[in-house]
Amino acid sequence: MKTHLTELLATAAKTIAPDVANLNIVLERPKSAEHGDFASNLAMVLAKPLKQNPRVLATQIIDALPTSDYIAKTEIAGAGFINFFLNTQSKQAVIKDILRAGKRYGCNQSGHDANGKTQKVQVEFVSANPTGPLHVGHGRGAAVGDCLARLLDANGWDVTREFYYNDAGAQIDNLTVSVLARCKGISTEHEHFPEDGYRGEYINDIAAAFLTKHTVVADDIEVTASGDINDLNSIRAFSVAYLRHEQDLDLKAFQIQFDVFSLESALYANGTVEKTVQALIKSGHTYEQDDALWLKTTDFGDDKDRVMRKTDGGYTYFVPDVAYHTEKWNRGFVRVINEQGADHHSTITRVRAGLQALDIGIPQGWPDYVLHQMVTVMRGGEEVKLSKRAGSYVTLRDLIEEVGCDATRYFLAARRADSQLVFDIDLARSQSNDNPVYYIQYAHARICSVLGQWNDDPAKLAHVDLTPLGNQHETALMQRLSEFPEVVANAAHELAPHIIANYLKELASDLHSYYNEYKFLIDDEQLKMARLSLICATQQVLKNGLDLLGVSAPKKM
RNA sequence: GCGCUCGUAGCUCAGUUGGAUAGAGUGUUGGUUUCCGAAGCCAAAGGUCGUGGGUUCGACUCCCGCCGAGCGCGCCA
């Protein structure tokens, strides 16, 4: 419908102003129903180049509009807006569209290339180091990242969900000595406990499991502890595997699945890191100074150059990151989206600089980043500090157990990623009935209940006469339903899952208002079927939207 | 000090490439069920969109200064 109206306006513009090129025709959905179903500011945009009064121009544009079966009337309003009012028949058409498309309603193919083939996109998210269980911040990344993946899938992309483990750095050494200390029975307060060691309770659990020679399985690896506290390699391998297993359980509880787990250690083992370093040296963007190797990231917009190889011979963390992204590119991802905490934002410039220095055809600004701000957790009116090292720790699994998976996912995905989020555990638990996610699910359950009582074949609803629909609530609901495809496209374009959450709240509100105002199971057979058809379509869109958030759509609550 | 993100109702937050009277939820107040689910609906009240300039037909939105919050600024990850 939107493209149809745009074409009409383009035709009119060509008649009125043949000399104005590159005209960007904007159609918006007015906030108020008085202003029609669509509005355009075309006359105001043309006013300047044509040096004419916008309202006069609006009249000329309307006169030049080709006739259309979908438009009931057009009006000029305000400073020169052209408002379009659709006839009821074209508004009703959305119901049949939805019932025909089913769970595909709202999807599009913007992820396809010029030849209509799907393109590969990777969403990397969570990517927590295996040094502790996942906490609320990881949960935000998990909720947002998974929704992004679902959105891109709905927009026609071939999506790979990927989790990257930093299992080869100083933090792993730290984990190893922390577990070792616990194996020796050194308490976290004792002066011989590693100064920056991990002090969480879970370190104790790992130590105990190590000493009793447990076996853990995580992803594709299986490790049996040697139980020998002089065997640092065994402690390291066992600790990492143990925590990877714990994180797997966290993700499972959050109902998130990954397609690929990548390991930093593998990039060293298979020579990718070394190959990348050699390629960077060859590129001419490196130099030796103070016994270290530097990358001239200032050539690519950084504010100072960065060390690649330290004086002790080891590489700094962004070197394997560059190697990893080179590998992503070589795997054919024309698009990569990294979802991570905003505290890592300084890596963006360095990784992109490294990729540009390699000069292997990677476009500037690749990969994309979505950064989420900190999550502050409140309990009992006080902030809970999320320090792995201090040991006071709100884990994602605790949160899911208290609040529920659906509500946790909704809460963490329903806000703009780049604004700070306050997660009040007491509020989420004590007032869980006021949680917006239940409001949306309730709308879905209500429809299920009505259709259940109707107790007939829903397939009949796809071909009923819709002409009886037209009251204020029905019109608003139909309009909202017709917006869904635009919302899905926009949310993907903006990489902003919260747009879906907000839309669903409004759709649920429309449904609840309608539900309270009118009855559906009535004697008037024609009207009844039309209304059931409308709420059946609403049920479908609620379900599709909740699916995009990874939230369930229960039939009963 | 420099960089990034942000500042909208008492609180938590939306606000679609600059558009018409800035919206929800929650909280407060008052209504609403012989009727498909009241986890609902309806209404009232609540605002100098941090602040001061600028750009233009028009600014919560774009630009600059200032104030305030978070994060980053390491040969840690």
Side-chain angles (χ1 to χ4, degrees):
Chain A
M1 184 56 63
K2 208 168 177 176
T3 52
H4 172 69
L5 292 176
T6 305
E7 281 167 20
L8 297 183
L9 284 169
T11 307
K14 213 169 254 175
T15 316
I16 305 286
D19 300 332
V20 179
N22 294 328
L23 198 55
N24 188 14
I25 294 176
V26 176
L27 267 173
E28 60 177 16
R29 305 230 180 217
K31 291 170 198 159
S32 163
E34 290 171 38
H35 298 137
D37 299 302
F38 289 92
S40 176
N41 63 350
L42 181 60
M44 287 134 95
V45 174
L46 285 175
K48 197 159 197 179
L50 296 183
K51 292 178 181 168
Q52 283 196 49
N53 182 317
R55 285 191 71 105
V56 173
L57 271 175
T59 316
Q60 294 176 8
I61 291 168
I62 288 175
D63 288 343
L65 279 177
T67 54
S68 164
D69 293 339
Y70 302 109
I71 298 172
K73 64 168 176 172
T74 53
E75 274 182 8
I76 302 168
F81 288 100
I82 300 170
N83 295 338
F84 293 91
F85 293 81
L86 303 182
N87 59 35
T88 45
Q89 203 183 344
S90 47
K91 288 182 193 175
Q92 290 158 353
V94 68
I95 294 173
K96 290 199 196 305
D97 289 346
I98 294 166
L99 295 180
R100 196 182 315 117
K103 63 181 175 185
R104 296 290 304 163
Y105 180 72
C107 296
N108 66 68
Q109 276 144 31
S110 59
H112 293 195
D113 65 14
N115 300 320
K117 274 186 64 181
T118 56
Q119 302 183 91
K120 286 175 69 175
V121 60
Q122 179 202 67
V123 182
E124 185 207 320
F125 60 113
V126 185
S127 295
N129 295 338
T131 54
L134 300 183
H135 58 65
V136 189
H138 297 123
R140 188 173 196 184
V144 171
D146 191 54
C147 291
L148 287 173
R150 288 163 187 262
L151 273 171
L152 290 165
D153 180 67
N155 279 269
W157 289 86
D158 175 11
V159 183
T160 298
R161 290 169 170 81
E162 190 145 330
F163 188 128
Y164 176 66
Y165 281 100
N166 288 109
D167 62 343
Q171 295 197 33
I172 299 302
D173 294 338
N174 193 9
L175 172 70
T176 308
V177 295
S178 300
V179 172
L180 174 62
R182 282 306 218 162
C183 285
K184 290 175 175 170
I186 300 172
S187 82
T188 53
E189 286 80 32
H190 195 277
E191 58 179 318
H192 289 312
F193 194 85
E195 195 177 347
D196 293 324
Y198 294 102
R199 289 181 159 77
E201 271 300 307
Y202 61 91
I203 298 293
N204 241 356
D205 300 338
I206 301 171
F210 179 79
L211 291 173
T212 50
K213 302 184 183 178
H214 275 225
T215 298
V216 288
V217 179
D219 309 322
D220 53 347
I221 59 167
E222 179 176 325
V223 176
T224 300
S226 70
D228 176 2
I229 62 171
N230 294 314
D231 187 353
L232 277 181
N233 283 335
S234 180
I235 295 179
R236 178 196 310 267
F238 180 76
S239 300
V240 168
Y242 185 99
L243 287 170
R244 284 179 63 190
H245 176 67
E246 284 298 309
Q247 292 184 353
D248 285 347
L249 294 179
D250 295 338
L251 293 169
K252 196 175 173 191
F254 212 30
Q255 294 177 29
I256 288 184
Q257 292 191 327
F258 284 90
D259 303 305
V260 178
F261 290 88
S262 283
L263 277 64
E264 181 186 9
S265 58
L267 296 170
Y268 282 100
N270 66 22
T272 308
V273 172
E274 195 52 42
K275 227 162 58 186
T276 304
V277 171
Q278 293 309 318
L280 285 170
I281 292 171
K282 212 173 162 191
S283 77
H285 292 285
T286 63
Y287 59 89
E288 300 258 1
Q289 186 182 308
D290 304 331
D291 292 328
L293 179 67
W294 295 69
L295 180 66
K296 278 192 265 184
T297 53
T298 49
D299 290 350
F300 306 97
D302 204 354
D303 53 0
K304 56 180 166 183
D305 293 338
R306 306 292 169 176
V307 169
M308 288 173 60
R309 190 174 57 226
K310 301 179 280 184
T311 48
D312 70 4
Y315 294 115
T316 54
Y317 71 94
F318 84 93
V319 175
D321 268 3
V322 172
Y324 177 41
H325 281 84
T326 308
E327 197 190 53
K328 289 186 184 186
W329 177 256
N330 290 334
R331 284 160 62 195
F333 293 110
V334 295
R335 197 169 178 203
V336 163
I337 294 160
N338 293 325
E339 206 290 350
Q340 46 187 241
D343 54 340
H344 292 85
H345 84 263
S346 61
T347 70
I348 297 175
T349 312
R350 288 173 219 183
V351 169
R352 285 181 179 160
L355 295 173
Q356 289 306 305
L358 287 169
D359 194 22
I360 52 173
I362 295 176
Q364 276 185 23
W366 188 97
D368 284 331
Y369 283 84
V370 172
L371 303 180
H372 63 262
Q373 293 288 327
M374 298 288 109
V375 181
T376 309
V377 178
M378 304 289 287
R379 189 199 286 276
E382 285 180 9
E383 182 180 344
V384 181
K385 294 289 182 190
L386 295 176
S387 167
K388 283 180 203 179
R389 291 166 193 190
S392 167
Y393 201 99
V394 179
T395 66
L396 180 59
R397 237 188 292 171
D398 288 343
L399 198 64
I400 294 166
E401 278 170 25
E402 288 189 40
V403 186
C405 181
D406 282 344
T408 304
R409 280 186 82 131
Y410 184 90
F411 249 92
L412 292 174
R415 295 198 184 343
R416 290 167 47 101
D418 57 11
S419 68
Q420 293 164 38
L421 173 59
V422 176
F423 203 119
D424 188 328
I425 291 180
D426 300 315
L427 193 73
R429 190 171 45 181
S430 70
Q431 300 195 346
S432 60
N433 285 354
D434 295 326
N435 191 312
V437 72
Y438 294 115
Y439 183 79
I440 297 164
Q441 290 178 322
Y442 183 44
H444 182 267
R446 268 183 150 173
I447 296 170
C448 292
S449 175
V450 173
L451 293 177
Q453 287 170 64
W454 173 55
N455 197 25
D456 205 333
D457 183 7
K460 290 182 184 171
L461 299 175
H463 307 288
V464 306
D465 177 13
L466 298 169
T467 47
L469 299 177
N471 68 49
Q472 192 188 333
H473 290 282
E474 288 159 351
T475 306
L477 195 48
M478 289 186 288
Q479 163 138 351
R480 186 81 67 191
L481 292 172
S482 70
E483 288 169 18
F484 186 63
E486 295 165 30
V487 170
V488 173
N490 189 36
H493 181 255
E494 304 282 327
L495 299 176
H498 78 276
I499 291 174
I500 299 294
N502 288 329
Y503 170 83
L504 287 174
K505 245 170 20 183
E506 287 169 352
L507 176 60
S509 173
D510 289 335
L511 186 277
H512 285 308
S513 293
Y514 182 39
Y515 183 95
N516 278 278
E517 192 71 22
Y518 295 98
K519 268 184 77 69
F520 307 119
L521 300 173
I522 49 178
D523 293 336
D524 182 337
E525 189 66 16
Q526 199 193 4
L527 185 57
K528 179 180 82 178
M529 292 302 279
R531 286 182 173 169
L532 290 177
S533 186
L534 172 56
I535 62 168
C536 188
T538 306
Q539 176 193 44
Q540 183 71 59
V541 175
L542 285 167
K543 173 95 170 59
N544 293 1
L546 286 169
D547 272 350
L548 287 173
L549 295 176
V551 174
S552 68
K555 293 186 166 76
K556 272 192 215 171
M557 295 173 66

